[in-house]
Amino acid sequence: MAGRVRQPLLAANWKMNPLAAADAVELARGVSRAASEHASLVEVALFPPFPWLLPVWDALKGTGVELGAQDCFWERAGAFTGEVSPAMLAGWCAWVIVGHSERRTLFGETDEQVALKAAAAMEAGLSVIVCVGESEAQFAAGHTEHVVSGQLDVALRRLAASGADRLVVAYEPVWAIGTGRNAEPALAHSTMRLVRQRLERAFGPRAASVRVLYGGSVNAANVTAYAQLESCDGSLVGGASLKAEEFSRMIAAVAAASGSPAT
Ligand code: PEP
């Protein structure tokens, strides 16, 4: 059986949860058992809120599970009240997410700001998940390809191909996030193929190192359908990543799918 070219990644975006540090630590410990068991087949990264990064970092020591932040600013240091720089994160985190649709829609982040964040995070040595995806109205109007290519191209203009192995693109249709309406795998597949074409256009052969994820209402019941797609190198998971038992089953499912031929 042919193995996959890129190791699958399951990224857990906890958003503004859980409320207590002790619960964050318990969730991290709960997930790390399954993650350690399947570490040779699936990379797992947890993205807690900023205040829980340190306790979760401590809980994950020696487990092989990686840690990331949900956002960062593009400047290194200075008078930017409330912001956190990639250089500060680099001491604790391997990863950062930029351009999540909740940042774009609730906080007005632009494609250019997302690109600046991605470039600064790369510069600081972090691995970066750049999120792209169309809104419900854009989807209904048939503008998915135009929107996703536009968001991605702006980010790629600021990124060097030499960082390709630290870059992940998460395709997350906004209408599928937190709604229980996951995009049909065939539909997600066609957009993830488009993402890979844009990556190849920007990075040439080095694009082969970039992983492309699907995100949007992925859970234990549907994760295998995405993991089996040739275009899909894993998932960015919100709600289902807050349940240690369910997320553990997702890790096992992606591990199982990683050994089967891609479709
Ligand atoms: C997300 O927040 O990136 C996400 C995909 O959320 P959910 O899995 O809850 O749809």
Side-chain angles (χ1 to χ4, degrees):
M1 261 189 301
R4 298 186 71 100
V5 181
R6 295 167 286 273
Q7 189 179 38
L9 170 68
L10 265 185
N13 176 16
W14 291 359
K15 312 193 189 199
M16 204 166 70
N17 301 292
L19 264 180
D23 293 336
V25 166
E26 190 183 318
L27 178 56
R29 290 211 176 106
V31 165
S32 67
R33 282 186 278 275
S36 301
E37 196 181 323
H38 299 287
S40 61
L41 295 172
V42 190
E43 191 173 345
V44 176
L46 307 184
F47 295 78
F50 285 125
W52 307 155
L53 283 173
L54 265 61
V56 171
W57 172 81
D58 202 41
L60 293 179
K61 266 190 225 158
T63 64
V65 181
E66 291 162 355
L67 184 66
Q70 298 170 15
D71 187 28
C72 67
F73 194 50
W74 56 81
E75 294 287 351
R76 196 178 153 74
F80 304 103
T81 302
E83 294 296 335
V84 176
S85 89
M88 292 167 178
L89 294 174
W92 313 98
C93 296
W95 290 91
V96 67
I97 296 171
V98 298
H100 190 279
S101 70
E102 286 151 18
R103 302 290 324 163
R104 292 178 188 261
T105 56
L106 299 174
F107 304 102
E109 285 189 11
T110 64
D111 293 346
E112 187 55 29
Q113 289 172 334
V114 172
L116 286 169
K117 290 180 174 197
M122 280 278 175
E123 177 69 29
L126 295 166
S127 294
V128 182
I129 299 180
V130 177
C131 300
V132 294
E134 81 285 1
S135 68
E136 174 119 56
Q138 290 163 334
F139 174 66
H143 295 161
T144 299
E145 293 201 355
H146 176 74
V147 171
V148 169
S149 317
Q151 291 173 338
L152 185 57
D153 290 354
V154 174
L156 292 176
R157 275 204 289 277
R158 290 200 178 260
L159 300 176
S162 55
D165 57 348
R166 287 189 287 121
L167 178 63
V168 171
V169 178
Y171 167 54
E172 300 205 299
V174 179
W175 48 270
I177 297 179
T179 59
R181 282 173 55 211
N182 57 303
E184 281 304 312
L187 187 67
H189 175 67
S190 75
T191 310
M192 287 187 287
R193 282 182 63 148
L194 168 82
V195 166
R196 186 147 299 284
Q197 283 160 11
R198 306 308 286 190
L199 289 166
E200 282 164 359
R201 196 163 158 270
F203 286 174
R206 286 198 134 140
S209 307
V210 181
R211 284 176 287 183
V212 179
L213 311 184
Y214 167 76
S217 296
V218 181
N219 56 36
N222 61 28
V223 70
T224 301
Y226 300 103
Q228 285 173 336
L229 297 172
E230 158 267 320
S231 56
C232 184
D233 304 306
S235 285
L236 177 54
V237 185
S241 74
L242 292 169
K243 301 168 205 153
E245 196 270 332
E246 176 161 19
F247 195 65
S248 298
R249 280 193 281 130
M250 294 172 77
I251 295 168
V254 173
S258 74
S260 42
T263 53

Short mmCIF file of all heavy atoms in Angstrom, two decimals, residues 13 15 97 100-102 131 172 176-180 214-219 236-241, ligand 1:
data_model
loop_
_atom_site.label_atom_id
_atom_site.label_comp_id
_atom_site.label_asym_id
_atom_site.label_seq_id
_atom_site.Cartn_x
_atom_site.Cartn_y
_atom_site.Cartn_z
N ASN A 13 -8.42 23.51 17.18
CA ASN A 13 -8.62 24.93 17.50
C ASN A 13 -9.66 25.04 18.61
O ASN A 13 -10.86 24.90 18.37
CB ASN A 13 -9.11 25.67 16.23
CG ASN A 13 -9.43 27.12 16.51
OD1 ASN A 13 -9.03 27.66 17.55
ND2 ASN A 13 -10.16 27.76 15.61
N LYS A 15 -10.53 27.59 20.21
CA LYS A 15 -11.17 28.91 20.24
C LYS A 15 -11.11 29.48 21.67
O LYS A 15 -10.11 29.29 22.34
CB LYS A 15 -12.59 28.84 19.69
CG LYS A 15 -12.66 28.08 18.36
CD LYS A 15 -13.95 28.26 17.64
CE LYS A 15 -14.00 27.30 16.46
NZ LYS A 15 -14.96 27.66 15.46
N ILE A 97 -1.98 29.78 14.15
CA ILE A 97 -3.02 29.90 13.12
C ILE A 97 -3.15 31.39 12.77
O ILE A 97 -3.15 32.23 13.67
CB ILE A 97 -4.40 29.42 13.67
CG1 ILE A 97 -4.36 27.93 14.01
CG2 ILE A 97 -5.52 29.72 12.67
CD1 ILE A 97 -5.61 27.43 14.76
N HIS A 100 -7.97 32.94 10.60
CA HIS A 100 -9.20 32.19 10.85
C HIS A 100 -10.40 33.07 10.49
O HIS A 100 -10.37 34.28 10.72
CB HIS A 100 -9.26 31.73 12.31
CG HIS A 100 -10.37 30.76 12.55
ND1 HIS A 100 -11.68 31.15 12.73
CD2 HIS A 100 -10.37 29.40 12.59
CE1 HIS A 100 -12.43 30.07 12.90
NE2 HIS A 100 -11.66 29.00 12.82
N SER A 101 -11.45 32.45 9.98
CA SER A 101 -12.59 33.26 9.51
C SER A 101 -13.21 34.08 10.63
O SER A 101 -13.77 35.15 10.38
CB SER A 101 -13.65 32.38 8.86
OG SER A 101 -14.29 31.61 9.84
N GLU A 102 -13.10 33.59 11.88
CA GLU A 102 -13.65 34.39 12.99
C GLU A 102 -12.84 35.66 13.19
O GLU A 102 -13.36 36.70 13.56
CB GLU A 102 -13.73 33.53 14.26
CG GLU A 102 -14.88 32.53 14.16
CD GLU A 102 -14.70 31.24 14.92
OE1 GLU A 102 -13.85 31.18 15.83
OE2 GLU A 102 -15.42 30.27 14.61
N CYS A 131 -5.59 30.20 7.16
CA CYS A 131 -6.96 29.78 6.86
C CYS A 131 -7.54 30.60 5.71
O CYS A 131 -7.38 31.83 5.68
CB CYS A 131 -7.86 29.98 8.08
SG CYS A 131 -7.34 29.04 9.51
N GLU A 172 -11.35 26.33 4.84
CA GLU A 172 -12.49 26.27 5.75
C GLU A 172 -13.62 27.13 5.21
O GLU A 172 -13.62 28.36 5.39
CB GLU A 172 -12.09 26.81 7.13
CG GLU A 172 -10.97 26.04 7.80
CD GLU A 172 -11.04 26.20 9.30
OE1 GLU A 172 -10.93 27.33 9.80
OE2 GLU A 172 -11.22 25.18 9.97
N ALA A 176 -19.47 26.37 6.84
CA ALA A 176 -19.36 25.03 7.44
C ALA A 176 -18.79 25.08 8.85
O ALA A 176 -18.80 24.07 9.56
CB ALA A 176 -18.48 24.15 6.56
N ILE A 177 -18.28 26.23 9.26
CA ILE A 177 -17.62 26.32 10.57
C ILE A 177 -18.65 26.44 11.69
O ILE A 177 -19.44 27.40 11.72
CB ILE A 177 -16.62 27.50 10.61
CG1 ILE A 177 -15.52 27.27 9.59
CG2 ILE A 177 -16.06 27.68 12.01
CD1 ILE A 177 -14.49 28.37 9.52
N GLY A 178 -18.63 25.46 12.57
CA GLY A 178 -19.49 25.50 13.75
C GLY A 178 -20.97 25.34 13.44
O GLY A 178 -21.82 25.60 14.30
N THR A 179 -21.31 24.93 12.23
CA THR A 179 -22.72 24.86 11.84
C THR A 179 -23.24 23.43 11.78
O THR A 179 -24.46 23.23 11.65
CB THR A 179 -22.90 25.47 10.43
OG1 THR A 179 -22.08 24.72 9.51
CG2 THR A 179 -22.52 26.93 10.40
N GLY A 180 -22.34 22.46 11.80
CA GLY A 180 -22.77 21.07 11.60
C GLY A 180 -23.01 20.76 10.13
O GLY A 180 -23.41 19.65 9.78
N TYR A 214 -8.69 20.35 5.44
CA TYR A 214 -10.07 20.78 5.38
C TYR A 214 -10.54 21.07 6.80
O TYR A 214 -10.22 20.31 7.73
CB TYR A 214 -10.99 19.70 4.77
CG TYR A 214 -12.45 20.07 5.01
CD1 TYR A 214 -13.05 21.07 4.24
CD2 TYR A 214 -13.17 19.51 6.05
CE1 TYR A 214 -14.35 21.47 4.50
CE2 TYR A 214 -14.48 19.90 6.32
CZ TYR A 214 -15.05 20.89 5.54
OH TYR A 214 -16.34 21.32 5.82
N GLY A 215 -11.31 22.13 6.98
CA GLY A 215 -11.93 22.43 8.27
C GLY A 215 -13.36 22.90 8.08
O GLY A 215 -13.66 23.59 7.10
N GLY A 216 -14.22 22.54 9.02
CA GLY A 216 -15.62 22.96 8.97
C GLY A 216 -16.51 21.81 9.36
O GLY A 216 -16.82 20.94 8.54
N SER A 217 -16.87 21.77 10.67
CA SER A 217 -17.77 20.73 11.19
C SER A 217 -17.23 19.32 10.97
O SER A 217 -17.99 18.39 10.66
CB SER A 217 -19.18 20.89 10.61
OG SER A 217 -19.74 22.11 11.05
N VAL A 218 -15.91 19.15 11.11
CA VAL A 218 -15.33 17.81 11.04
C VAL A 218 -15.50 17.16 12.42
O VAL A 218 -15.30 17.81 13.45
CB VAL A 218 -13.83 17.85 10.65
CG1 VAL A 218 -13.27 16.44 10.56
CG2 VAL A 218 -13.65 18.58 9.33
N ASN A 219 -15.88 15.90 12.41
CA ASN A 219 -16.07 15.17 13.66
C ASN A 219 -15.68 13.71 13.46
O ASN A 219 -15.21 13.34 12.38
CB ASN A 219 -17.53 15.31 14.15
CG ASN A 219 -18.52 14.85 13.09
OD1 ASN A 219 -18.25 13.89 12.36
ND2 ASN A 219 -19.65 15.53 12.99
N LEU A 236 -8.49 20.78 10.32
CA LEU A 236 -8.51 21.77 11.40
C LEU A 236 -9.89 21.62 12.05
O LEU A 236 -10.92 21.74 11.38
CB LEU A 236 -8.30 23.18 10.84
CG LEU A 236 -8.36 24.36 11.81
CD1 LEU A 236 -7.41 24.18 12.99
CD2 LEU A 236 -8.01 25.66 11.08
N VAL A 237 -9.88 21.32 13.34
CA VAL A 237 -11.11 20.92 14.03
C VAL A 237 -11.42 21.90 15.15
O VAL A 237 -10.55 22.18 15.98
CB VAL A 237 -10.95 19.50 14.63
CG1 VAL A 237 -12.27 19.02 15.24
CG2 VAL A 237 -10.45 18.51 13.58
N GLY A 238 -12.64 22.39 15.19
CA GLY A 238 -13.07 23.28 16.27
C GLY A 238 -13.82 22.50 17.34
O GLY A 238 -13.24 21.85 18.19
N GLY A 239 -15.15 22.54 17.27
CA GLY A 239 -16.01 21.98 18.31
C GLY A 239 -15.63 20.57 18.75
O GLY A 239 -15.56 20.30 19.96
N ALA A 240 -15.40 19.68 17.80
CA ALA A 240 -15.14 18.27 18.17
C ALA A 240 -13.80 18.11 18.88
O ALA A 240 -13.57 17.08 19.53
CB ALA A 240 -15.20 17.38 16.93
N SER A 241 -12.93 19.10 18.78
CA SER A 241 -11.62 18.98 19.44
C SER A 241 -11.70 19.29 20.94
O SER A 241 -10.73 19.12 21.67
CB SER A 241 -10.58 19.90 18.77
OG SER A 241 -10.80 21.25 19.12
C1 PEP B 1 -12.66 26.00 13.16
O1 PEP B 1 -12.87 26.71 14.12
O2 PEP B 1 -11.66 26.18 12.46
C2 PEP B 1 -13.61 24.95 12.85
C3 PEP B 1 -13.43 24.24 11.78
O3 PEP B 1 -14.66 24.77 13.73
P1 PEP B 1 -15.72 23.55 13.72
O4 PEP B 1 -14.92 22.28 13.59
O5 PEP B 1 -16.42 23.67 15.03
O6 PEP B 1 -16.60 23.76 12.52
#
